[in-house]
Amino acid sequence: MQKTFVSVFLGISLDGCIAGENGDLSWLAELAPDSPDSTGYTALMEQVDTLLIGRTTYDAVLGFEPWPYAGKRVVVLSRRDFAPRHGEQRRAGSVRAVLEGLAEEGCRHVYLDGGAVIRAGLREGVIDSLTLSVLPVVLGKGVRLFEDGLPRSDWRLHNTRQLPSGVVQLRYAKR
């Protein structure tokens, strides 16, 4: 069985937050007005065939207009049921088990999104590429990407660049 390639691509504050208090994401657009083309997000999404996102992230993006994942298979990792609005599917279990199931179904490149799902992916050692766009802000409080209890994992810096907004983007590959 072929392994699915797993990517993470997200904005992060200097103090390691991926969302502000109460899940606030407004600071991302405010401080990083770079286009999806210039950040590499568009190129990534051209390669990705499936998104595996957490329930909190799913609930947040449901309010976005237009739907940000149009044309992509979206799998929501959740124990709670929901009514899909854009063809989304619900799966439960470990990130590794869900990824193995997706690989069996032919998925080749999965984009993980959502703090809890990404942390689970880090704990389970299934992430192949980690792109962090570091925004020049200290939030002080919020949802942290790296929390106590994550096991050690070693990464190799693949690329670094400064975007026009001043955001520094770091792209790592799993060692």
PDB file of all heavy atoms in Angstrom, residues 81-113:
ATOM      1  N   ASP A  81     -21.839  13.818  15.013  1.00  0.00           N
ATOM      2  CA  ASP A  81     -22.399  13.845  13.670  1.00  0.00           C
ATOM      3  C   ASP A  81     -22.711  15.281  13.264  1.00  0.00           C
ATOM      4  O   ASP A  81     -22.839  16.167  14.110  1.00  0.00           O
ATOM      5  CB  ASP A  81     -23.658  12.987  13.622  1.00  0.00           C
ATOM      6  CG  ASP A  81     -23.830  12.287  12.293  1.00  0.00           C
ATOM      7  OD1 ASP A  81     -22.931  12.424  11.426  1.00  0.00           O
ATOM      8  OD2 ASP A  81     -24.845  11.612  12.114  1.00  0.00           O
ATOM      9  N   PHE A  82     -22.838  15.524  11.971  1.00  0.00           N
ATOM     10  CA  PHE A  82     -23.215  16.832  11.441  1.00  0.00           C
ATOM     11  C   PHE A  82     -23.853  16.630  10.078  1.00  0.00           C
ATOM     12  O   PHE A  82     -23.733  15.561   9.483  1.00  0.00           O
ATOM     13  CB  PHE A  82     -21.998  17.773  11.352  1.00  0.00           C
ATOM     14  CG  PHE A  82     -20.895  17.261  10.464  1.00  0.00           C
ATOM     15  CD1 PHE A  82     -20.889  17.532   9.099  1.00  0.00           C
ATOM     16  CD2 PHE A  82     -19.858  16.507  10.991  1.00  0.00           C
ATOM     17  CE1 PHE A  82     -19.877  17.056   8.286  1.00  0.00           C
ATOM     18  CE2 PHE A  82     -18.843  16.028  10.183  1.00  0.00           C
ATOM     19  CZ  PHE A  82     -18.851  16.304   8.824  1.00  0.00           C
ATOM     20  N   ALA A  83     -24.503  17.674   9.609  1.00  0.00           N
ATOM     21  CA  ALA A  83     -25.128  17.626   8.277  1.00  0.00           C
ATOM     22  C   ALA A  83     -24.175  18.283   7.281  1.00  0.00           C
ATOM     23  O   ALA A  83     -23.984  19.493   7.319  1.00  0.00           O
ATOM     24  CB  ALA A  83     -26.459  18.363   8.302  1.00  0.00           C
ATOM     25  N   PRO A  84     -23.556  17.508   6.388  1.00  0.00           N
ATOM     26  CA  PRO A  84     -22.615  18.067   5.420  1.00  0.00           C
ATOM     27  C   PRO A  84     -23.292  19.092   4.511  1.00  0.00           C
ATOM     28  O   PRO A  84     -24.430  18.897   4.089  1.00  0.00           O
ATOM     29  CB  PRO A  84     -22.157  16.861   4.607  1.00  0.00           C
ATOM     30  CG  PRO A  84     -22.599  15.660   5.356  1.00  0.00           C
ATOM     31  CD  PRO A  84     -23.735  16.065   6.219  1.00  0.00           C
ATOM     32  N   ARG A  85     -22.602  20.186   4.242  1.00  0.00           N
ATOM     33  CA  ARG A  85     -23.133  21.221   3.361  1.00  0.00           C
ATOM     34  C   ARG A  85     -22.435  21.248   2.012  1.00  0.00           C
ATOM     35  O   ARG A  85     -22.930  21.827   1.063  1.00  0.00           O
ATOM     36  CB  ARG A  85     -22.980  22.592   4.019  1.00  0.00           C
ATOM     37  CG  ARG A  85     -23.785  22.748   5.268  1.00  0.00           C
ATOM     38  CD  ARG A  85     -23.752  24.177   5.727  1.00  0.00           C
ATOM     39  NE  ARG A  85     -24.126  24.269   7.127  1.00  0.00           N
ATOM     40  CZ  ARG A  85     -23.982  25.349   7.842  1.00  0.00           C
ATOM     41  NH1 ARG A  85     -23.479  26.442   7.315  1.00  0.00           N
ATOM     42  NH2 ARG A  85     -24.342  25.360   9.105  1.00  0.00           N
ATOM     43  N   HIS A  86     -21.219  20.675   1.954  1.00  0.00           N
ATOM     44  CA  HIS A  86     -20.420  20.735   0.730  1.00  0.00           C
ATOM     45  C   HIS A  86     -19.859  19.364   0.372  1.00  0.00           C
ATOM     46  O   HIS A  86     -18.800  19.273  -0.240  1.00  0.00           O
ATOM     47  CB  HIS A  86     -19.266  21.736   0.914  1.00  0.00           C
ATOM     48  CG  HIS A  86     -19.714  23.090   1.358  1.00  0.00           C
ATOM     49  ND1 HIS A  86     -20.182  24.035   0.487  1.00  0.00           N
ATOM     50  CD2 HIS A  86     -19.788  23.646   2.598  1.00  0.00           C
ATOM     51  CE1 HIS A  86     -20.520  25.130   1.159  1.00  0.00           C
ATOM     52  NE2 HIS A  86     -20.288  24.906   2.440  1.00  0.00           N
ATOM     53  N   GLY A  87     -20.531  18.312   0.792  1.00  0.00           N
ATOM     54  CA  GLY A  87     -20.071  16.960   0.497  1.00  0.00           C
ATOM     55  C   GLY A  87     -19.037  16.411   1.468  1.00  0.00           C
ATOM     56  O   GLY A  87     -18.401  15.401   1.188  1.00  0.00           O
ATOM     57  N   GLU A  88     -18.865  17.056   2.599  1.00  0.00           N
ATOM     58  CA  GLU A  88     -17.891  16.611   3.587  1.00  0.00           C
ATOM     59  C   GLU A  88     -18.268  15.232   4.131  1.00  0.00           C
ATOM     60  O   GLU A  88     -19.425  14.849   4.113  1.00  0.00           O
ATOM     61  CB  GLU A  88     -17.825  17.581   4.788  1.00  0.00           C
ATOM     62  CG  GLU A  88     -17.695  19.025   4.440  1.00  0.00           C
ATOM     63  CD  GLU A  88     -19.033  19.731   4.213  1.00  0.00           C
ATOM     64  OE1 GLU A  88     -19.965  19.128   3.625  1.00  0.00           O
ATOM     65  OE2 GLU A  88     -19.148  20.882   4.623  1.00  0.00           O
ATOM     66  N   GLN A  89     -17.257  14.537   4.634  1.00  0.00           N
ATOM     67  CA  GLN A  89     -17.460  13.230   5.256  1.00  0.00           C
ATOM     68  C   GLN A  89     -16.948  13.297   6.689  1.00  0.00           C
ATOM     69  O   GLN A  89     -15.993  14.018   6.971  1.00  0.00           O
ATOM     70  CB  GLN A  89     -16.672  12.149   4.520  1.00  0.00           C
ATOM     71  CG  GLN A  89     -17.012  12.032   3.068  1.00  0.00           C
ATOM     72  CD  GLN A  89     -16.031  11.114   2.369  1.00  0.00           C
ATOM     73  OE1 GLN A  89     -14.851  11.052   2.698  1.00  0.00           O
ATOM     74  NE2 GLN A  89     -16.528  10.386   1.373  1.00  0.00           N
ATOM     75  N   ARG A  90     -17.558  12.534   7.569  1.00  0.00           N
ATOM     76  CA  ARG A  90     -17.099  12.463   8.960  1.00  0.00           C
ATOM     77  C   ARG A  90     -16.368  11.155   9.171  1.00  0.00           C
ATOM     78  O   ARG A  90     -16.806  10.099   8.697  1.00  0.00           O
ATOM     79  CB  ARG A  90     -18.271  12.556   9.932  1.00  0.00           C
ATOM     80  CG  ARG A  90     -17.834  12.549  11.394  1.00  0.00           C
ATOM     81  CD  ARG A  90     -19.026  12.599  12.335  1.00  0.00           C
ATOM     82  NE  ARG A  90     -19.829  11.389  12.269  1.00  0.00           N
ATOM     83  CZ  ARG A  90     -19.589  10.274  12.966  1.00  0.00           C
ATOM     84  NH1 ARG A  90     -18.540  10.195  13.762  1.00  0.00           N
ATOM     85  NH2 ARG A  90     -20.383   9.232  12.851  1.00  0.00           N
ATOM     86  N   ARG A  91     -15.254  11.225   9.870  1.00  0.00           N
ATOM     87  CA  ARG A  91     -14.516  10.034  10.284  1.00  0.00           C
ATOM     88  C   ARG A  91     -14.160  10.199  11.757  1.00  0.00           C
ATOM     89  O   ARG A  91     -13.979  11.312  12.237  1.00  0.00           O
ATOM     90  CB  ARG A  91     -13.209   9.852   9.496  1.00  0.00           C
ATOM     91  CG  ARG A  91     -13.371   9.720   8.002  1.00  0.00           C
ATOM     92  CD  ARG A  91     -13.733   8.308   7.583  1.00  0.00           C
ATOM     93  NE  ARG A  91     -14.064   8.230   6.184  1.00  0.00           N
ATOM     94  CZ  ARG A  91     -13.233   7.837   5.246  1.00  0.00           C
ATOM     95  NH1 ARG A  91     -12.019   7.454   5.548  1.00  0.00           N
ATOM     96  NH2 ARG A  91     -13.625   7.798   3.989  1.00  0.00           N
ATOM     97  N   ALA A  92     -14.024   9.080  12.441  1.00  0.00           N
ATOM     98  CA  ALA A  92     -13.595   9.085  13.839  1.00  0.00           C
ATOM     99  C   ALA A  92     -12.406   8.146  13.956  1.00  0.00           C
ATOM    100  O   ALA A  92     -12.200   7.278  13.101  1.00  0.00           O
ATOM    101  CB  ALA A  92     -14.734   8.643  14.754  1.00  0.00           C
ATOM    102  N   GLY A  93     -11.626   8.329  14.991  1.00  0.00           N
ATOM    103  CA  GLY A  93     -10.461   7.480  15.223  1.00  0.00           C
ATOM    104  C   GLY A  93      -9.194   8.300  15.264  1.00  0.00           C
ATOM    105  O   GLY A  93      -9.227   9.528  15.239  1.00  0.00           O
ATOM    106  N   SER A  94      -8.076   7.605  15.301  1.00  0.00           N
ATOM    107  CA  SER A  94      -6.783   8.300  15.334  1.00  0.00           C
ATOM    108  C   SER A  94      -6.492   8.883  13.957  1.00  0.00           C
ATOM    109  O   SER A  94      -7.011   8.414  12.944  1.00  0.00           O
ATOM    110  CB  SER A  94      -5.667   7.335  15.737  1.00  0.00           C
ATOM    111  OG  SER A  94      -5.399   6.428  14.681  1.00  0.00           O
ATOM    112  N   VAL A  95      -5.664   9.919  13.933  1.00  0.00           N
ATOM    113  CA  VAL A  95      -5.267  10.521  12.660  1.00  0.00           C
ATOM    114  C   VAL A  95      -4.588   9.461  11.796  1.00  0.00           C
ATOM    115  O   VAL A  95      -4.867   9.349  10.600  1.00  0.00           O
ATOM    116  CB  VAL A  95      -4.359  11.751  12.892  1.00  0.00           C
ATOM    117  CG1 VAL A  95      -3.757  12.246  11.588  1.00  0.00           C
ATOM    118  CG2 VAL A  95      -5.148  12.864  13.575  1.00  0.00           C
ATOM    119  N   ARG A  96      -3.718   8.673  12.398  1.00  0.00           N
ATOM    120  CA  ARG A  96      -3.013   7.622  11.649  1.00  0.00           C
ATOM    121  C   ARG A  96      -4.004   6.649  11.010  1.00  0.00           C
ATOM    122  O   ARG A  96      -3.890   6.313   9.831  1.00  0.00           O
ATOM    123  CB  ARG A  96      -2.047   6.862  12.551  1.00  0.00           C
ATOM    124  CG  ARG A  96      -1.301   5.745  11.809  1.00  0.00           C
ATOM    125  CD  ARG A  96      -0.342   4.976  12.697  1.00  0.00           C
ATOM    126  NE  ARG A  96       0.694   5.784  13.280  1.00  0.00           N
ATOM    127  CZ  ARG A  96       1.796   6.193  12.663  1.00  0.00           C
ATOM    128  NH1 ARG A  96       1.989   5.856  11.402  1.00  0.00           N
ATOM    129  NH2 ARG A  96       2.690   6.908  13.289  1.00  0.00           N
ATOM    130  N   ALA A  97      -4.985   6.182  11.765  1.00  0.00           N
ATOM    131  CA  ALA A  97      -5.956   5.222  11.238  1.00  0.00           C
ATOM    132  C   ALA A  97      -6.781   5.834  10.110  1.00  0.00           C
ATOM    133  O   ALA A  97      -7.035   5.191   9.092  1.00  0.00           O
ATOM    134  CB  ALA A  97      -6.866   4.716  12.359  1.00  0.00           C
ATOM    135  N   VAL A  98      -7.191   7.083  10.276  1.00  0.00           N
ATOM    136  CA  VAL A  98      -7.969   7.750   9.226  1.00  0.00           C
ATOM    137  C   VAL A  98      -7.115   7.911   7.975  1.00  0.00           C
ATOM    138  O   VAL A  98      -7.570   7.656   6.851  1.00  0.00           O
ATOM    139  CB  VAL A  98      -8.534   9.096   9.727  1.00  0.00           C
ATOM    140  CG1 VAL A  98      -9.140   9.897   8.584  1.00  0.00           C
ATOM    141  CG2 VAL A  98      -9.567   8.860  10.826  1.00  0.00           C
ATOM    142  N   LEU A  99      -5.845   8.313   8.142  1.00  0.00           N
ATOM    143  CA  LEU A  99      -4.948   8.457   6.991  1.00  0.00           C
ATOM    144  C   LEU A  99      -4.730   7.115   6.280  1.00  0.00           C
ATOM    145  O   LEU A  99      -4.692   7.069   5.045  1.00  0.00           O
ATOM    146  CB  LEU A  99      -3.607   9.047   7.421  1.00  0.00           C
ATOM    147  CG  LEU A  99      -3.624  10.527   7.798  1.00  0.00           C
ATOM    148  CD1 LEU A  99      -2.300  10.928   8.439  1.00  0.00           C
ATOM    149  CD2 LEU A  99      -3.932  11.400   6.583  1.00  0.00           C
ATOM    150  N   GLU A 100      -4.599   6.050   7.050  1.00  0.00           N
ATOM    151  CA  GLU A 100      -4.444   4.726   6.438  1.00  0.00           C
ATOM    152  C   GLU A 100      -5.673   4.365   5.614  1.00  0.00           C
ATOM    153  O   GLU A 100      -5.568   3.827   4.512  1.00  0.00           O
ATOM    154  CB  GLU A 100      -4.158   3.676   7.510  1.00  0.00           C
ATOM    155  CG  GLU A 100      -2.756   3.780   8.082  1.00  0.00           C
ATOM    156  CD  GLU A 100      -2.518   2.909   9.311  1.00  0.00           C
ATOM    157  OE1 GLU A 100      -3.466   2.244   9.797  1.00  0.00           O
ATOM    158  OE2 GLU A 100      -1.362   2.903   9.798  1.00  0.00           O
ATOM    159  N   GLY A 101      -6.851   4.678   6.148  1.00  0.00           N
ATOM    160  CA  GLY A 101      -8.083   4.434   5.403  1.00  0.00           C
ATOM    161  C   GLY A 101      -8.158   5.269   4.137  1.00  0.00           C
ATOM    162  O   GLY A 101      -8.565   4.778   3.077  1.00  0.00           O
ATOM    163  N   LEU A 102      -7.738   6.521   4.222  1.00  0.00           N
ATOM    164  CA  LEU A 102      -7.744   7.400   3.043  1.00  0.00           C
ATOM    165  C   LEU A 102      -6.760   6.898   1.994  1.00  0.00           C
ATOM    166  O   LEU A 102      -7.046   6.938   0.794  1.00  0.00           O
ATOM    167  CB  LEU A 102      -7.421   8.839   3.452  1.00  0.00           C
ATOM    168  CG  LEU A 102      -8.503   9.536   4.289  1.00  0.00           C
ATOM    169  CD1 LEU A 102      -8.001  10.881   4.797  1.00  0.00           C
ATOM    170  CD2 LEU A 102      -9.793   9.700   3.503  1.00  0.00           C
ATOM    171  N   ALA A 103      -5.606   6.403   2.440  1.00  0.00           N
ATOM    172  CA  ALA A 103      -4.621   5.853   1.497  1.00  0.00           C
ATOM    173  C   ALA A 103      -5.205   4.653   0.761  1.00  0.00           C
ATOM    174  O   ALA A 103      -5.032   4.513  -0.457  1.00  0.00           O
ATOM    175  CB  ALA A 103      -3.337   5.468   2.234  1.00  0.00           C
ATOM    176  N   GLU A 104      -5.917   3.799   1.485  1.00  0.00           N
ATOM    177  CA  GLU A 104      -6.560   2.630   0.858  1.00  0.00           C
ATOM    178  C   GLU A 104      -7.597   3.060  -0.172  1.00  0.00           C
ATOM    179  O   GLU A 104      -7.859   2.337  -1.135  1.00  0.00           O
ATOM    180  CB  GLU A 104      -7.194   1.750   1.928  1.00  0.00           C
ATOM    181  CG  GLU A 104      -6.189   1.002   2.766  1.00  0.00           C
ATOM    182  CD  GLU A 104      -6.830   0.247   3.923  1.00  0.00           C
ATOM    183  OE1 GLU A 104      -8.075   0.168   3.990  1.00  0.00           O
ATOM    184  OE2 GLU A 104      -6.067  -0.265   4.773  1.00  0.00           O
ATOM    185  N   GLU A 105      -8.191   4.234   0.032  1.00  0.00           N
ATOM    186  CA  GLU A 105      -9.193   4.757  -0.897  1.00  0.00           C
ATOM    187  C   GLU A 105      -8.564   5.526  -2.056  1.00  0.00           C
ATOM    188  O   GLU A 105      -9.270   6.083  -2.882  1.00  0.00           O
ATOM    189  CB  GLU A 105     -10.166   5.667  -0.134  1.00  0.00           C
ATOM    190  CG  GLU A 105     -10.990   4.919   0.896  1.00  0.00           C
ATOM    191  CD  GLU A 105     -11.731   5.850   1.844  1.00  0.00           C
ATOM    192  OE1 GLU A 105     -11.901   7.054   1.523  1.00  0.00           O
ATOM    193  OE2 GLU A 105     -12.137   5.378   2.918  1.00  0.00           O
ATOM    194  N   GLY A 106      -7.218   5.608  -2.072  1.00  0.00           N
ATOM    195  CA  GLY A 106      -6.533   6.254  -3.190  1.00  0.00           C
ATOM    196  C   GLY A 106      -6.048   7.663  -2.941  1.00  0.00           C
ATOM    197  O   GLY A 106      -5.505   8.292  -3.864  1.00  0.00           O
ATOM    198  N   CYS A 107      -6.222   8.190  -1.744  1.00  0.00           N
ATOM    199  CA  CYS A 107      -5.724   9.534  -1.449  1.00  0.00           C
ATOM    200  C   CYS A 107      -4.204   9.511  -1.432  1.00  0.00           C
ATOM    201  O   CYS A 107      -3.598   8.629  -0.827  1.00  0.00           O
ATOM    202  CB  CYS A 107      -6.246  10.027  -0.104  1.00  0.00           C
ATOM    203  SG  CYS A 107      -8.021  10.268  -0.095  1.00  0.00           S
ATOM    204  N   ARG A 108      -3.590  10.491  -2.080  1.00  0.00           N
ATOM    205  CA  ARG A 108      -2.128  10.539  -2.172  1.00  0.00           C
ATOM    206  C   ARG A 108      -1.506  11.715  -1.431  1.00  0.00           C
ATOM    207  O   ARG A 108      -0.352  11.655  -1.047  1.00  0.00           O
ATOM    208  CB  ARG A 108      -1.698  10.578  -3.643  1.00  0.00           C
ATOM    209  CG  ARG A 108      -2.082   9.328  -4.396  1.00  0.00           C
ATOM    210  CD  ARG A 108      -1.299   8.131  -3.879  1.00  0.00           C
ATOM    211  NE  ARG A 108      -1.906   6.879  -4.298  1.00  0.00           N
ATOM    212  CZ  ARG A 108      -2.364   5.955  -3.459  1.00  0.00           C
ATOM    213  NH1 ARG A 108      -2.309   6.111  -2.170  1.00  0.00           N
ATOM    214  NH2 ARG A 108      -2.903   4.850  -3.909  1.00  0.00           N
ATOM    215  N   HIS A 109      -2.240  12.818  -1.290  1.00  0.00           N
ATOM    216  CA  HIS A 109      -1.691  14.004  -0.607  1.00  0.00           C
ATOM    217  C   HIS A 109      -2.798  14.629   0.240  1.00  0.00           C
ATOM    218  O   HIS A 109      -3.777  15.135  -0.289  1.00  0.00           O
ATOM    219  CB  HIS A 109      -1.159  15.017  -1.615  1.00  0.00           C
ATOM    220  CG  HIS A 109      -0.324  16.094  -0.996  1.00  0.00           C
ATOM    221  ND1 HIS A 109       0.562  16.836  -1.727  1.00  0.00           N
ATOM    222  CD2 HIS A 109      -0.229  16.563   0.283  1.00  0.00           C
ATOM    223  CE1 HIS A 109       1.164  17.714  -0.935  1.00  0.00           C
ATOM    224  NE2 HIS A 109       0.678  17.565   0.286  1.00  0.00           N
ATOM    225  N   VAL A 110      -2.613  14.573   1.548  1.00  0.00           N
ATOM    226  CA  VAL A 110      -3.600  15.081   2.489  1.00  0.00           C
ATOM    227  C   VAL A 110      -3.049  16.321   3.189  1.00  0.00           C
ATOM    228  O   VAL A 110      -1.892  16.355   3.602  1.00  0.00           O
ATOM    229  CB  VAL A 110      -3.971  14.011   3.546  1.00  0.00           C
ATOM    230  CG1 VAL A 110      -4.888  14.578   4.617  1.00  0.00           C
ATOM    231  CG2 VAL A 110      -4.637  12.819   2.864  1.00  0.00           C
ATOM    232  N   TYR A 111      -3.899  17.327   3.296  1.00  0.00           N
ATOM    233  CA  TYR A 111      -3.575  18.554   4.019  1.00  0.00           C
ATOM    234  C   TYR A 111      -4.294  18.474   5.360  1.00  0.00           C
ATOM    235  O   TYR A 111      -5.513  18.352   5.413  1.00  0.00           O
ATOM    236  CB  TYR A 111      -4.053  19.738   3.182  1.00  0.00           C
ATOM    237  CG  TYR A 111      -4.045  21.095   3.846  1.00  0.00           C
ATOM    238  CD1 TYR A 111      -2.997  21.509   4.656  1.00  0.00           C
ATOM    239  CD2 TYR A 111      -5.093  21.991   3.623  1.00  0.00           C
ATOM    240  CE1 TYR A 111      -2.999  22.767   5.231  1.00  0.00           C
ATOM    241  CE2 TYR A 111      -5.096  23.252   4.187  1.00  0.00           C
ATOM    242  CZ  TYR A 111      -4.047  23.638   4.984  1.00  0.00           C
ATOM    243  OH  TYR A 111      -4.049  24.884   5.549  1.00  0.00           O
ATOM    244  N   LEU A 112      -3.534  18.507   6.467  1.00  0.00           N
ATOM    245  CA  LEU A 112      -4.117  18.519   7.811  1.00  0.00           C
ATOM    246  C   LEU A 112      -4.380  19.948   8.215  1.00  0.00           C
ATOM    247  O   LEU A 112      -3.518  20.811   8.052  1.00  0.00           O
ATOM    248  CB  LEU A 112      -3.160  17.925   8.845  1.00  0.00           C
ATOM    249  CG  LEU A 112      -2.879  16.443   8.878  1.00  0.00           C
ATOM    250  CD1 LEU A 112      -2.090  16.091  10.134  1.00  0.00           C
ATOM    251  CD2 LEU A 112      -4.123  15.615   8.794  1.00  0.00           C
ATOM    252  N   ASP A 113      -5.540  20.205   8.799  1.00  0.00           N
ATOM    253  CA  ASP A 113      -5.857  21.547   9.273  1.00  0.00           C
ATOM    254  C   ASP A 113      -6.613  21.454  10.590  1.00  0.00           C
ATOM    255  O   ASP A 113      -7.458  20.580  10.777  1.00  0.00           O
ATOM    256  CB  ASP A 113      -6.684  22.305   8.235  1.00  0.00           C
ATOM    257  CG  ASP A 113      -6.651  23.811   8.430  1.00  0.00           C
ATOM    258  OD1 ASP A 113      -5.854  24.298   9.272  1.00  0.00           O
ATOM    259  OD2 ASP A 113      -7.403  24.507   7.737  1.00  0.00           O
TER     260      ASP A 113
END
